[in-house]
Amino acid sequence: MSRITDPAAEQELRELEDDNPDYAGMRRRILLEVDKRRSGWKAESVSAEKRSLRRGWTMSAGAGVLACVAVAGVLFWQTDTATEPASTVTSNLNETSKAYTAPAGQALEASATVDGIKLTINNLIQGHFQGRSTTEKPSDRLVLQMSLSGLNVPNAEYAGFASTRLTDLDSGATQEWKGASFDLRQGMQNVSDAQVFDGDWAEEGQARRFRFETSDLYTVRRHDISLEGVVKDQTEYPIPSLQGASVLLTDSKWDEEQGLLTLNYKLQGTEAYSLSSLPESLFSETQTQLLLNTGTRTIAPTSGTRGDDAFSMNYELYDMSAEERQALTLTYSYAETVEKIEGSWQMDFTLDGTQAQERVVQITPENASEIEQKIGWKLGQADVSAYGVYLPIERERKDRKLHDGLVLYYEKSVLVAEGFESWQGEHAEHPSLLSSGQAAQGQEALSFRFMSEAVRNLTTGPLAIRLQNALVVREAPTGSGTVLAAPTQQEQRIDAELPDGSILHYRYSREGDVLKVITETENSLHLLEAPIVNANGDTYRADGKSSYAHYRPNGDYRVDVYPNVPQGVDPELVLGLYSQIDPSLDTEIVLRK
């Protein structure tokens, strides 16, 4: 399973639900991986104001996981293209080579077995992610990459240890942490996980002795139980598989503008709370959820709050008709313990500072001039370590000001090494963040920070960054404005087409001297500025304080308010700067051939 390199952030991730409201479209990309873990909910209230800012986060979707910085540091998901390891292990070194395709740091042969279940520490990696945006020199962290074999629990989907303790045998100091957890759905043999510890570790040429202890292995599986009847206020839905338990839907609310359905409900019956004895390591895998069911797919909530037994959850139902909403049914999703294996797995090992330390090296991209000529990015030297890659983009702040032809960011940025492809990276300080006021005074850069399980050796072999689907700034051609029939209190509609065939849907109305315009776009067309209104030879710009946007998975939905627009005239709506995907700019930054 994937991890992150910060222990506190890793804990935050486990406490996040499947679609935390602050992350919108960007986080959906991350959740391609999180979905594998069937994440649960963390209680969190979300205001309408936060939801209205989703376009800002979505603009950075192609820029990786910037939005996650707000809560848990930078999260960066990756997958390994290597095949699943064999079910039998002939030696620890063989197991290491299969479980971790590019092992870094110090290889170990430390293992412990309880009831035939063997836990092995394969690699110790001491180091840190380094980038120029770091204000202080980060301290080293110690990653313990592990594998689990010998488990045979039919129907189990996840396994997690109750707790972990790391003891310095020289000083007696200890660190306690949640246990490791493992995804069993692709098989139970040689599944991998890693744990991260902060502290002072071995210097180069130094050896230190530690004891790793973890106890009580829990295995669980999830159930998705369909509830009888359509979604209806003041209705109780018995949970067939949990005797005496039910969901009471007290009321619901539909927000047409945001495409948001809110369900307020209560869980009734003691069986609904039978998960309190499960370990913290399985927190996200064992949370309950109420899902909507369309008949062809299920829809998870995207924001909400929860109390002891009362829940208020929001579901994004864009482009769903009233008839489709009225036909929705409910699915109750929960976890149960399959088997608990009691015991303690204890291993002593020696941390060799010379072997375990992974240094940061700098690499000059081999095709830097070609990249600058093609997309205008002047690349700096990349900082490469086992913990990830940091590549600065040397664009001055003034050069990131929006203009026609500017490459904002790439919707897909992937680090590619031998047998390995990352998930989306982070593009910090890119121009669209600068224009929306979300950027700081930091360095523009591409960052690929590895989860603890994917920390790997990047010192040899080909290394590149694949960039796809460039978001490029466009300026509407002269004469492409849209003339509106004189606005009234009654909302009117009109569509406009850009020369490239892109469609804009306008809805407009007025209250007194205030003109309100709702603009909806499709696919990859995103508005970077509010449209401009021309009337009677004068130009009117939207009131930034009154204008807002709502997130949509594709295209834009924004509401702009224009004060003091004269009545009785046919105003012209002129599109400002916008962005579209330009696949012709797909490219690859070659860090090492």
Side-chain angles (χ1 to χ4, degrees):
M1 297 184 308
S2 299
R3 291 291 179 269
I4 51 180
T5 57
D6 187 334
E10 194 158 343
Q11 172 63 14
E12 290 282 355
L13 178 60
R14 286 190 177 278
E15 294 178 353
L16 292 173
E17 39 66 41
D18 257 337
D19 222 346
N20 187 280
D22 293 331
Y23 304 156
M26 178 281 306
R27 198 156 181 267
R28 285 173 173 76
R29 290 180 172 85
I30 301 174
L31 290 168
L32 291 173
E33 178 73 10
V34 175
D35 181 61
K36 298 177 183 178
R37 299 179 50 77
R38 296 300 304 272
S39 299
W41 270 92
K42 176 184 178 181
E44 182 167 351
S45 62
V46 178
S47 66
E49 178 183 3
K50 286 186 178 180
R51 286 196 295 268
S52 70
L53 295 176
R54 286 183 178 172
R55 169 51 54 206
W57 291 125
T58 306
M59 289 168 66
S60 64
V65 292
L66 181 63
C68 287
V69 176
V71 172
V74 175
L75 310 183
F76 172 64
W77 297 99
Q78 56 274 310
T79 57
D80 200 312
T81 58
T83 56
E84 286 293 318
S87 59
T88 58
V89 179
T90 57
S91 70
N92 183 65
L93 292 179
N94 190 30
E95 181 180 29
T96 300
S97 65
K98 291 180 178 180
Y100 299 97
T101 56
Q106 177 185 349
L108 279 188
E109 294 186 2
S111 63
T113 302
V114 173
D115 291 344
I117 301 169
K118 181 180 179 181
L119 179 66
T120 302
I121 301 177
N122 303 118
N123 306 300
L124 303 174
I125 306 103
Q126 181 179 328
H128 59 267
F129 177 86
Q130 181 168 303
R132 241 184 283 175
S133 60
T134 306
T135 56
E136 297 180 1
K137 182 180 179 180
S139 60
D140 278 352
R141 291 182 169 125
L142 183 64
V143 169
L144 278 63
Q145 291 183 331
M146 298 173 287
S147 58
L148 188 71
S149 61
L151 186 63
N152 183 19
V153 182
N155 300 318
E157 295 177 330
Y158 306 95
F161 286 100
S163 62
T164 289
R165 177 185 291 116
L166 184 66
T167 303
D168 185 331
L169 295 178
D170 297 319
S171 68
T174 63
Q175 288 192 47
E176 294 190 359
W177 191 233
K178 57 180 175 55
S181 62
F182 304 86
D183 190 337
L184 309 177
R185 288 172 297 167
Q186 302 303 316
M188 295 190 184
Q189 298 306 309
N190 299 332
V191 288
S192 303
D193 192 20
Q195 294 199 268
V196 189
F197 295 90
D198 279 321
D200 296 321
W201 308 110
E203 300 291 339
E204 189 166 350
Q206 181 187 20
R208 294 177 60 182
R209 298 181 304 127
F210 290 89
R211 174 169 296 157
F212 177 85
E213 300 174 85
T214 190
S215 62
D216 294 348
L217 182 64
Y218 290 75
T219 62
V220 301
R221 65 175 175 178
R222 292 197 65 89
H223 296 281
D224 290 347
I225 305 300
S226 297
L227 306 183
E228 186 175 352
V230 297
V231 175
K232 185 178 180 181
D233 292 358
Q234 292 297 317
T235 301
E236 184 175 0
Y237 303 86
I239 303 173
S241 58
L242 298 176
Q243 186 175 3
S246 64
V247 174
L248 175 61
L249 180 60
T250 55
D251 63 273
S252 60
K253 179 181 178 182
W254 171 246
D255 187 322
E256 181 71 33
E257 188 174 74
Q258 297 197 66
L260 206 67
L261 177 65
T262 300
L263 297 185
N264 297 310
Y265 64 92
K266 294 182 178 180
L267 289 182
Q268 302 182 135
T270 56
E271 288 295 326
Y273 304 97
S274 61
L275 306 175
S276 58
S277 61
L278 290 170
E280 187 181 2
S281 62
L282 292 172
F283 178 89
S284 59
E285 291 85 354
T286 56
Q287 295 302 292
T288 64
Q289 277 194 314
L290 189 63
L291 310 174
L292 294 177
N293 193 346
T294 67
T296 58
R297 64 189 177 101
T298 56
I299 302 171
T302 55
S303 61
T305 59
R306 67 186 300 170
D308 291 337
D309 62 352
F311 299 75
S312 180
M313 295 297 168
N314 303 313
Y315 302 78
E316 294 173 351
L317 307 180
Y318 308 115
D319 301 324
M320 186 176 289
S321 67
E323 292 75 16
E324 290 172 318
R325 293 198 307 273
Q326 292 169 2
L328 289 170
T329 59
L330 297 171
T331 295
Y332 182 69
S333 179
Y334 69 99
E336 70 170 358
T337 301
V338 180
E339 185 177 340
K340 175 185 177 182
I341 297 94
E342 296 184 347
S344 177
W345 287 255
Q346 178 178 305
M347 291 162 270
D348 292 352
F349 63 86
T350 298
L351 176 64
D352 186 325
T354 302
Q355 295 183 43
Q357 284 191 34
E358 286 289 342
R359 301 298 185 185
V360 177
V361 298
Q362 289 193 324
I363 297 177
T364 300
E366 298 195 15
N367 61 339
S369 59
E370 176 188 330
I371 294 297
E372 184 174 6
Q373 183 177 7
K374 184 171 184 176
I375 62 175
W377 291 5
K378 183 179 179 180
L379 304 177
Q381 285 191 315
D383 292 325
V384 179
S385 75
Y387 280 75
V389 172
Y390 174 89
L391 178 63
I393 301 171
E394 306 294 352
R395 284 195 287 191
E396 296 294 335
R397 194 176 182 88
K398 60 181 178 62
D399 297 327
R400 286 179 274 164
K401 187 176 180 180
L402 300 184
H403 61 269
D404 187 49
L406 177 70
V407 177
L408 297 173
Y409 59 85
Y410 280 82
E411 194 176 54
K412 298 178 182 179
S413 58
V414 176
L415 184 70
V416 181
E418 190 172 355
F420 172 81
E421 289 189 6
S422 74
W423 282 84
Q424 186 67 20
E426 172 197 355
H427 187 160
E429 305 293 322
H430 63 76
S432 57
L433 292 179
L434 193 67
S435 67
S436 63
Q438 296 183 46
Q441 297 291 329
Q443 171 71 51
E444 184 179 7
L446 294 174
S447 296
F448 301 85
R449 309 186 190 214
F450 293 164
M451 308 303 171
S452 51
E453 184 191 335
V455 169
R456 60 200 305 105
N457 184 356
L458 294 178
T459 59
T460 61
L463 188 63
I465 298 173
R466 183 187 303 145
L467 302 174
Q468 295 176 290
N469 295 348
L471 269 293
V472 182
V473 178
R474 300 300 184 201
E475 185 175 3
T478 303
S480 60
T482 302
V483 177
L484 310 179
T488 65
Q489 288 186 336
Q490 183 69 33
E491 184 178 82
Q492 302 178 65
R493 297 172 179 259
I494 188 171
D495 290 344
E497 183 175 353
L498 294 174
D500 64 5
S502 299
I503 303 297
L504 298 101
H505 307 283
Y506 293 121
R507 288 185 282 152
Y508 61 98
S509 60
R510 73 154 55 248
E511 291 186 9
D513 63 352
V514 174
L515 174 64
K516 177 182 177 181
V517 177
I518 299 174
T519 308
E520 294 183 77
T521 68
E522 301 175 354
N523 302 320
S524 66
L525 176 60
H526 297 306
L527 304 187
L528 302 175
E529 298 176 337
I532 297 171
V533 172
N534 294 324
N536 283 351
D538 293 322
T539 297
Y540 300 86
R541 298 187 181 276
D543 179 4
K545 293 182 179 180
S546 302
S547 300
Y548 56 94
H550 291 310
Y551 169 74
R552 291 292 185 268
N554 295 298
D556 270 354
Y557 182 102
R558 64 175 297 139
V559 180
D560 293 298
V561 176
Y562 302 83
N564 303 317
V565 177
Q567 302 187 40
V569 299
D570 296 344
E572 180 188 32
L573 204 58
V574 179
L575 191 63
L577 294 176
Y578 60 95
S579 68
Q580 283 184 315
I581 288 177
D582 185 347
S584 72
L585 295 179
D586 287 0
T587 189
E588 187 171 87
I589 299 171
V590 180
L591 299 178
R592 185 174 56 230
K593 292 182 179 178

